[in-house]
Amino acid sequence: MSDKRKDYISWDEYFMGVAMLSGMRSKDPNTQVGACIVSKDNKILSMGYNGLPRGCSDDEFPWCREGDPLDNKYIYTAHSELNAILNYRGGSLENAKIYVTLFPCNECAKAIIQAGITTVVYDDDKYATSASVIASKRMFDAAGVRYYRYQRTGRKIEITL
Ligand SMILES: [Zn+2]
């Protein structure tokens, strides 16, 4: 009998890795965020990254963060978590988990709760002191959504494309 391989990636590394890879699709010059939704039995259901809605050209819409509200990205872009939720056409996301590279904002928190997702695994929490993230945690706590920080393993994965 041969020994099984021991250097395979864990479920958490796999799903956070997919979330990170999804984030790399974002055209946002400042922030690339990715999300990966997973079923209770560890099947990937959906993925998303921050970007413009379908039909809205990456070259015609603004990516800047300041100035006239109609000339900055905030009013147009959809966050990775919302995109991952909306990209799923298979039915219910009840009891699913979402892996996300940045703690969800309050708008995404609402969508996560309403979609029935019950676990959030996040990596970065750099806006922890913002009203948006404080509100997210308050809503998650009230709605019984569990959230915990992904434990980085330091594993480096090189993929040649
Ligand atoms: Zn958001």
Side-chain angles (χ1 to χ4, degrees):
M1 211 160 56
S2 62
D3 285 337
K4 78 170 181 181
R5 181 185 281 275
K6 291 190 176 70
D7 62 350
Y8 60 93
I9 59 174
S10 69
W11 285 121
D12 268 4
E13 287 174 321
Y14 180 32
F15 301 136
M16 189 56 81
V18 168
M20 288 173 175
L21 194 63
S22 298
M24 293 171 81
R25 276 283 305 156
S26 176
K27 323 305 180 299
D28 191 315
N30 296 107
T31 312
Q32 289 183 306
V33 181
C36 175
I37 301 177
V38 179
S39 70
K40 270 242 177 285
D41 55 346
N42 292 325
K43 283 183 251 177
I44 292 177
L45 302 176
S46 190
M47 286 161 274
Y49 55 88
N50 53 312
L52 294 161
R54 216 173 286 174
C56 302
S57 167
D58 295 322
D59 299 314
E60 287 165 26
F61 280 77
W63 286 108
C64 54
R65 298 186 288 182
E66 276 116 35
D68 188 323
L70 286 175
D71 281 324
N72 76 52
K73 67 176 182 179
Y74 296 111
I75 208 161
Y76 302 110
T77 52
H79 287 173
S80 67
E81 305 93 307
L82 185 63
N83 275 327
I85 289 167
L86 296 174
N87 284 341
Y88 184 62
R89 302 296 166 86
S92 173
L93 292 173
E94 212 72 46
N95 297 316
K97 299 183 278 185
I98 188 166
Y99 286 74
V100 62
T101 59
L102 180 63
F103 200 96
C105 75
N106 60 307
E107 291 300 328
C108 290
K110 295 174 204 174
I112 287 167
I113 292 166
Q114 296 301 68
I117 293 169
T118 48
T119 304
V120 175
V121 187
Y122 61 94
D123 183 34
D124 200 354
D125 193 15
K126 64 180 170 182
Y127 300 121
T129 58
S130 71
S132 169
V133 169
I134 291 168
S136 293
K137 289 174 182 168
R138 185 174 172 184
M139 288 188 280
F140 286 155
D141 289 338
V145 173
R146 196 167 79 95
Y147 50 90
Y148 65 91
R149 190 172 205 147
Y150 170 71
Q151 296 299 313
R152 285 205 176 200
T153 61
R155 187 196 294 271
K156 281 193 164 40
I157 296 174
E158 192 180 73
I159 300 171
T160 304
L161 301 169

